[in-house]
Amino acid sequence: MTSTQIYGVEETSELIEEEPEVDPAQEESSSSSPDAPPSYFAYGPIVNPMVRRRRGLHTLEEKPAILPEHRLTFSYGGVAEIIPQRGYEVHGILMKMESLEEWKKFQATDVGYNEMDRVQVIPYGSSTSLPAVTMTMKDFDQSKVDAPMEQLPTERYLKLIGHGFRFYNVDPDYIDDQIMSVPYTPARKPEDYETYGAISDRLPKLTFAKYQKLCQETSEIYF
């Protein structure tokens, strides 16, 4: 099956929602608790508040940060992955789940074949690194990463990431170069949807009275 390849995602504003304000006292209490989940460095669609809300994930202390010596790639299945690689950096959102239960729920559904690694990230505007965890791909083929993608990400997938990054004021140049300029498979327009065609008005009609009579005359069930 051949994918249509397009470069440069056109921005829209429909894939983001405003986040509710969080009480600073609640943030401080959550972060100081000994049972608080670790800080997570996110770089995929989960950076978008709308995605987290739809998945029932509640987060605190979100802020943009940089992971040095790692590279973002969409070469495996058209989804965002990061791999260790010198000379590159990945921008993302540092966040915490509100509870250990939500953290475990997130891990169970998102880790997949990747490993959860302990890393050091640098928040925007800071020169001090902070500990965090993130998902990285260790078993990868470098030649595949550098080659043209076999399966492209979808237009909507890239927009979810791009809009989430813009919401948290991630570097616009990074968004344009690393997200919105990635080749993608365009979303279908409503007029391009496939249908089964119109239903003929010459089909025989079955009245409810006739249906009841058929049910009384046979042991078969008609749905």
Side-chain angles (χ1 to χ4, degrees):
M1 178 174 163
T2 303
S3 297
T4 302
Q5 181 169 319
I6 294 182
Y7 293 85
V9 178
E10 181 181 353
E11 290 275 21
T12 61
S13 58
E14 61 187 22
L15 301 177
I16 192 89
E17 294 175 356
E18 292 293 327
E19 281 197 312
E21 293 186 3
V22 178
D23 184 352
Q26 182 182 2
E27 285 193 1
E28 183 177 353
S29 173
S30 174
S31 61
S32 60
S33 169
D35 294 327
S39 295
Y40 177 68
F41 179 77
Y43 51 86
I46 196 175
V47 302
N48 193 306
M50 182 183 72
V51 172
R52 298 198 301 275
R53 191 170 299 117
R54 287 181 174 177
R55 293 174 55 182
L57 296 173
H58 304 89
T59 57
L60 301 168
E61 306 174 32
E62 304 91 345
K63 52 191 169 189
I66 298 173
L67 174 61
E69 308 302 335
H70 284 73
R71 178 180 179 182
L72 177 69
T73 178
F74 294 88
S75 297
Y76 285 83
V79 298
E81 307 278 5
I82 59 175
I83 59 174
Q85 191 154 346
R86 290 189 177 278
Y88 289 83
E89 63 182 26
V90 178
H91 293 226
I93 306 301
L94 194 61
M95 61 179 69
K96 284 187 177 182
M97 303 297 166
E98 278 191 351
S99 66
L100 280 174
E101 289 72 22
E102 286 191 279
W103 171 243
K104 291 176 182 178
K105 173 184 174 183
F106 168 72
Q107 285 182 293
T109 57
D110 277 54
V111 174
Y113 296 104
N114 291 336
E115 298 181 21
M116 193 68 77
D117 267 355
R118 295 186 179 278
V119 295
Q120 293 287 323
V121 300
I122 305 172
Y124 275 26
S126 173
S127 58
T128 304
S129 62
L130 297 176
V133 295
T134 194
M135 286 183 286
T136 63
M137 177 178 281
K138 296 293 182 63
D139 185 15
F140 63 91
D141 182 349
Q142 185 64 51
S143 63
K144 183 172 182 177
V145 173
D146 295 329
M149 288 182 287
E150 296 176 0
Q151 181 176 340
L152 303 179
T154 64
E155 179 179 3
R156 178 177 175 81
Y157 185 83
L158 294 178
K159 283 182 176 180
L160 286 171
I161 300 174
H163 293 168
F165 276 166
R166 293 199 192 283
F167 183 80
Y168 291 110
N169 298 314
V170 170
D171 180 5
D173 289 338
Y174 180 87
I175 299 173
D176 291 341
D177 295 341
Q178 300 297 319
I179 307 297
M180 310 310 282
S181 295
V182 173
Y184 66 90
T185 301
R188 284 189 177 184
K189 298 179 181 178
E191 56 267 27
D192 296 330
Y193 292 165
E194 296 181 1
T195 66
Y196 288 104
I199 299 176
S200 172
D201 57 5
R202 292 177 295 178
L203 292 174
K205 295 181 179 180
L206 180 67
T207 64
F208 184 67
K210 189 172 182 180
Y211 167 77
Q212 287 182 311
K213 185 178 179 181
L214 285 170
C215 289
Q216 294 169 355
E217 294 177 350
T218 179
S219 59
E220 297 181 8
I221 299 176
Y222 291 84
F223 294 96

